[in-house]
Amino acid sequence: MDEVLAQEQPQQDDRGSWYVIQTLTSNENKVRDSILRQIRLGDEIPVYEAFVPTEKVSEYRHDRKVDITRKVYPGYVFVRMDLYNEFGEVDEKVWYFIRGIQGVLGFPGGGNRPAALSPMEVADLKRMINPVEVTREKCIYEVGDNVHIKEGPFEGLEGQVQEVDQERGRLTVSVHVFGNWTPVELGFWQVEPLS
């Protein structure tokens, strides 16, 4: 498996173009691994790289922080290859290799002339290949939800969610303190739903 992950790192060459392949859900890694295995065999098929974008997300379950890895685009694999030959025709070897992998549904939009990703889409994809480590916490709260504060200086109090800041993993909760409603900023982990 480490061998496969090592292959997932971007190559130094710029051969080919990036295409999107649609797969059966939950078959993305199997399809990617099949492509990478073929690349390692060194066959003459001009397929160079395969990638399944993922992100790390932190969730709080039963008062515990759990880190999970989630696919950014479920049901899709990104492949760098030469799908068309020098005459602008589909390379039959590449076409049948990709279409013949178990779990591949085809190219999005169907048809016999899939389009490569645009330069802007490729730039976004390259950021996912070399991600800056960002961990997002999944928020289960919405504005108007009543919560119980379980940690911090307001522990034991109840309040209502006024604002959700997904990027920072923070909530603004209105708490009744000394006879006044006061907005308090708390982390997702500091509160729990009021049952």
Side-chain angles (χ1 to χ4, degrees):
M1 186 65 178
D2 291 335
E3 212 174 303
V4 170
L5 291 177
Q7 278 290 330
E8 192 174 355
Q9 296 305 313
Q11 305 295 317
Q12 295 300 319
D13 64 50
D14 289 327
R15 295 178 293 171
S17 299
W18 283 98
Y19 293 88
V20 179
I21 297 173
Q22 191 171 9
T23 68
L24 293 170
T25 304
S26 300
N27 280 262
E28 302 91 349
N29 291 340
K30 289 179 189 175
V31 169
R32 178 203 58 208
D33 294 348
S34 293
I35 294 169
L36 294 176
R37 201 172 303 111
Q38 189 69 30
I39 292 169
R40 280 195 311 277
L41 289 175
D43 286 351
E44 294 301 313
I45 298 174
V47 177
Y48 311 110
E49 193 172 354
F51 178 64
V52 176
T54 58
E55 65 180 349
K56 188 182 280 187
V57 178
S58 296
E59 294 182 355
Y60 286 88
R61 297 179 185 165
H62 309 290
D63 296 336
R64 283 187 353 178
K65 183 178 177 180
V66 178
D67 291 333
I68 60 170
T69 301
R70 180 177 298 157
K71 292 175 182 77
V72 177
Y73 301 108
Y76 296 96
V77 175
F78 294 81
V79 181
R80 186 168 55 89
M81 60 186 162
D82 286 319
L83 184 57
Y84 299 100
N85 62 25
E86 62 271 7
F87 305 111
E89 300 166 344
V90 172
D91 184 326
E92 297 292 322
K93 280 192 340 188
V94 175
W95 180 262
Y96 289 113
F97 165 66
I98 295 294
R99 298 291 306 237
I101 296 172
Q102 187 175 357
V104 170
L105 297 174
F107 294 91
N112 294 328
R113 295 210 45 93
L117 296 178
S118 71
M120 192 166 75
E121 291 167 325
V122 170
D124 288 341
L125 181 63
K126 287 186 178 179
R127 277 193 289 280
M128 285 185 253
I129 291 173
N130 297 310
V132 174
E133 186 66 33
V134 175
T135 301
R136 292 188 306 135
E137 295 172 3
K138 181 180 176 187
C139 181
I140 59 170
Y141 303 103
E142 295 180 2
V143 172
D145 286 352
N146 292 317
V147 294
H148 173 79
I149 301 171
K150 62 181 185 175
E151 186 178 305
F154 299 98
E155 182 177 349
L157 296 178
E158 296 173 359
Q160 188 175 56
V161 176
Q162 301 298 310
E163 250 181 82
V164 177
D165 186 346
Q166 181 67 41
E167 293 298 314
R168 292 179 48 226
R170 310 287 288 171
L171 299 171
T172 301
V173 177
S174 185
V175 181
H176 197 254
V177 182
F178 304 119
N180 294 314
W181 287 99
T182 306
V184 176
E185 189 173 286
L186 301 165
F188 293 164
W189 67 93
Q190 292 179 287
V191 299
E192 60 189 359
L194 194 59
S195 20

